[in-house]
């Protein structure tokens, strides 16, 4: 990019930054304009990514260049047309098939991902040694805290277990105690996540202010 | 009768494709792997078309707003202008997203807008922190202590107040916070598996009306 386009770019981004920051004074037309420009560019960019990264290389070009070799792509093409038919109210029902397809694939991926990407690795990661001989007392106590935290936080999401019999009441009381402990661990997690989010957002704010303070004077030299 | 057949077909498609994709997680088979890959490619194409459909919906909504001269219609005009400009710049150049004009818009319009909108939340998070961290119960006290230690453990001010605060922050993040987060992740994973199974077994049919 040339120096002139860079210069214009820096001024445009500075102007947009100030327009967004003007929201601190209250809702105003400048902020709303910036907000709408943001949505406009985001949607436009998403359209281009969808076309150039997915539709063109995976559907349009293979069908145009070698239609006989890629005849199976007729299926997603047909499903895509049915999906587009949802734009017309009288054809809305036709869009059920591509949605059903997307849901089937999406649910299977989510299920497989949850099982092999979350559940099993997290369970494996929780099987930690609490023997001080393995890594010292600090690590052993820490691991014990981690295991208790995991089990109790999981128990917090266990909503059944009430009972009328003596054994049932004992079980319910035990679960209630675990749930209480789990709630505290979840609170620690929320506090840590909140603090990390505050730091991330502050870093962004410092970055934007630094941009305004350092880049604009450079363009005036 | 037609509607009933359409619903049954939709449920059959969901269950059929879902089980085929899921089978590949459990069975090592070259044919199944190829079937899953084909279905995933088709799903990607459909997701892209669904995204285009969403963009068309955005355009239609704002066009209606402009035509009806509804409050804020001028902003809709700018939104459509921005959207149209980016799309036009991308289609005029065969390089598309990688074209210099689109890159310029992304770098000097989209990135600063996104970064500043997220930066703006720092102020609102501060006021939310006041409400969340007000000590009204043991729970909020625990959250306050954890939050303050993690926050101060990352800045020089914290080090000046207590030289072991960084170590305390690391310990909180490594053990109790990880324990709590792991419990939440396991709960979410179990919930996802159950919901997924309900859809794949045809018990839940969110897409069929």
């Amino acid at each position: 990019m040339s120096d002139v386009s860079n210069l214009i770019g820096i001024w445009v981004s500075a102007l947009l930054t100030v327009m967004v920051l003007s929201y601190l004074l209250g809702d105003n037309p400048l902020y709303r304009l910036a907000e709408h420009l943001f949505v406009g560019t985001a949607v436009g960019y998403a359209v281009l990514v969808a076309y150039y990264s997915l539709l063109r290389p995976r559907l349009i070009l293979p069908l145009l260049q070698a239609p006989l070799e890629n005849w199976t792509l007729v299926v997603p093409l047909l499903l895509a047309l049915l999906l587009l038919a949802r734009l017309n109210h009288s054809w809305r029902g036709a869009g059920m098939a591509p949605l059903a397809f997307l849901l089937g694939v999406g649910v299977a991926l989510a299920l497989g991902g949850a099982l092999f990407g979350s559940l099993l690795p997290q369970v494996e990661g929780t099987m930690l040694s609490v023997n001080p001989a393995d890594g010292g007392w600090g690590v052993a106590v820490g691991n014990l805290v981690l295991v208790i935290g995991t089990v109790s936080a999981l128990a917090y999401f266990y909503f059944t277990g009430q009972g009328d019999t003596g054994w049932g009441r004992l079980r319910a009381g035990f679960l209630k105690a675990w749930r209480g402990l789990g709630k505290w661990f979840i609170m620690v997690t929320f506090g840590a996540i909140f603090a990390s989010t505050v730091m991330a957002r502050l870093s962004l704010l410092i970055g934007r202010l630094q941009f305004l303070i350092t880049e604009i004077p450079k363009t005036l030299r | 009768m037609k509607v009933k057949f359409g619903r049954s077909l939709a449920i059959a498609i969901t269950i059929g494709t879902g089980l085929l994709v899921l089978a590949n997680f459990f069975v090592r088979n070259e044919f199944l792997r190829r079937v899953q890959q084909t279905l995933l490619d088709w799903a990607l194409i459909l997701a892209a078309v669904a995204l285009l459909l969403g963009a068309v919906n955005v355009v239609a909504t704002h066009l209606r707003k402009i035509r009806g001269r509804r409050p804020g219609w001028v902003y809709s005009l700018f939104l459509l202008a921005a959207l149209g400009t980016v799309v036009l710049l991308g289609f005029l150049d065969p390089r598309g997203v990688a074209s210099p004009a689109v890159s310029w818009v992304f770098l000097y319009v989209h990135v600063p807008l996104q970064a500043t909108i997220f930066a703006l939340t720092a102020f609102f998070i501060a006021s939310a922190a006041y409400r969340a961290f007000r000590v009204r119960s043991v729970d909020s006290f625990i959250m306050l202590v954890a939050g303050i230690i993690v926050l101060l453990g990352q800045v020089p001010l914290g080090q000046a107040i207590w030289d072991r605060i960084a170590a305390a922050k690391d310990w909180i993040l490594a053990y109790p916070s990880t324990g709590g987060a792991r419990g939440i992740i396991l709960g979410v994973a179990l919930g996802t598996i159950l919901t997924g199974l309900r859809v794949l077994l045809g018990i839940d049919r969110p897409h069929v009306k």
Side-chain angles (χ1 to χ4, degrees):
Chain A
M1 267 179 260
S2 72
D3 282 350
V4 180
S5 74
N6 273 339
L7 195 73
I8 297 168
I10 287 169
W11 274 95
V12 167
S13 47
L15 184 72
L16 292 171
T17 303
V18 174
M19 280 165 74
V20 173
L21 288 177
S22 71
Y23 188 73
L24 293 172
L25 303 171
D27 196 7
N28 64 76
L30 284 177
Y31 172 75
R32 299 193 77 187
L33 180 62
E35 197 183 30
H36 280 75
L37 285 176
F38 173 63
V39 176
T41 52
V43 175
Y45 197 76
V47 167
L48 290 180
V49 170
Y51 178 76
Y52 281 104
S53 303
L54 291 168
L55 291 178
R56 194 163 173 260
R58 286 174 189 262
L59 180 72
I60 298 169
L61 288 183
L63 274 178
L64 288 177
Q65 288 166 351
L68 289 177
E69 274 176 42
N70 301 302
W71 64 271
T72 51
L73 287 175
V74 172
V75 180
L77 180 71
L78 200 71
L79 288 172
L81 291 174
L82 287 173
L83 197 60
L84 288 174
R86 285 182 74 83
L87 286 170
N88 188 323
H89 278 283
S90 50
W91 281 81
R92 270 188 100 79
M96 214 149 46
L99 281 184
F101 177 82
L102 272 177
L103 189 76
V105 175
V107 161
L109 284 179
L111 211 155
L115 185 62
F116 295 105
S118 290
L119 193 72
L120 296 179
Q122 293 294 341
V123 169
E124 200 184 339
T126 314
M127 291 181 184
L128 298 161
S129 168
V130 290
N131 186 354
D134 287 339
W137 277 98
V139 174
V141 171
N143 285 347
L144 189 66
V145 169
L146 198 153
V147 172
I148 291 171
T150 304
V151 176
S152 60
L154 192 59
Y156 183 69
F157 298 106
Y158 192 80
F159 298 109
T160 51
Q162 278 82 25
D164 297 328
T165 59
W167 171 244
R169 272 200 295 273
L170 190 73
R171 189 167 164 266
F174 180 71
L175 266 171
K176 196 180 167 190
W178 267 107
R179 273 202 290 267
L181 191 64
K183 199 172 164 191
W184 289 349
F185 274 98
I186 289 171
M187 285 297 144
V188 171
T189 307
F190 284 165
I193 291 171
F194 193 88
S196 302
T197 310
V198 168
M199 286 306 288
R201 297 292 193 265
L202 278 177
S203 303
L204 270 175
L205 183 66
I206 291 165
R208 293 320 298 160
L209 293 177
Q210 211 165 23
F211 165 77
L212 286 177
I213 294 165
T214 58
E215 293 300 317
I216 294 298
K218 269 188 206 169
T219 62
L220 297 171
R221 271 178 216 153
Chain B
M1 185 70 185
K2 246 185 200 176
V3 176
K4 210 174 174 186
F5 176 73
R7 283 177 189 167
S8 305
L9 184 70
I11 294 164
I13 291 172
T14 305
I15 296 171
T17 51
L19 290 179
L20 275 173
V21 174
L22 193 63
N24 194 53
F25 282 103
F26 297 96
V27 185
R28 288 267 169 266
N29 181 288
E30 185 52 29
F31 174 72
L32 267 180
R33 193 195 63 76
R34 262 191 269 159
V35 168
Q36 191 210 32
Q37 195 52 53
T38 307
L39 291 176
L40 287 182
D41 283 343
W42 292 359
L44 276 175
I45 292 167
L46 277 181
V49 174
L51 200 142
L52 292 185
L53 205 66
V56 170
N57 194 35
V58 169
V59 172
T61 305
H62 285 275
L63 276 178
R64 271 199 301 274
K65 206 172 161 184
I66 293 166
R67 247 187 252 135
R69 294 284 191 273
R70 282 188 235 154
W73 66 272
V74 182
Y75 303 117
S76 298
L77 214 60
F78 279 99
L79 185 148
L80 291 182
L83 196 159
T85 308
V86 174
V87 171
L88 200 69
L89 289 173
F91 282 119
L92 284 177
D93 193 318
R95 284 169 289 183
V97 188
S99 75
V102 176
S103 300
W104 189 93
V105 174
F106 189 73
L107 192 66
Y108 292 118
V109 179
H110 188 74
V111 170
L113 278 171
Q114 190 176 30
T116 319
I117 286 172
F118 276 106
L120 203 62
T121 55
F123 295 97
F124 304 108
I125 280 179
S127 70
Y130 173 72
R131 282 193 294 275
F133 287 161
R134 263 188 304 180
V135 181
R136 284 166 301 185
S137 61
V138 179
D139 301 342
S140 57
F141 176 73
I142 291 170
M143 190 172 153
L144 171 78
V145 172
I148 284 177
I149 292 174
V150 173
L151 200 64
L152 289 178
Q154 297 178 67
V155 291
L157 178 71
Q159 293 287 333
I161 294 169
W162 183 38
D163 62 343
R164 306 276 321 263
I165 200 157
K169 179 212 76 176
D170 289 342
W171 190 84
I172 285 176
L173 289 178
Y175 299 112
S177 172
T178 304
R182 199 164 271 176
I184 296 170
I185 292 169
L186 287 174
V188 171
L190 286 171
T192 307
I193 291 167
L194 275 176
T195 311
L197 279 176
R198 284 179 70 88
V199 173
L200 287 186
L201 293 174
I203 301 166
D204 280 348
R205 303 157 184 181
H207 56 303
V208 180
K209 285 178 189 167

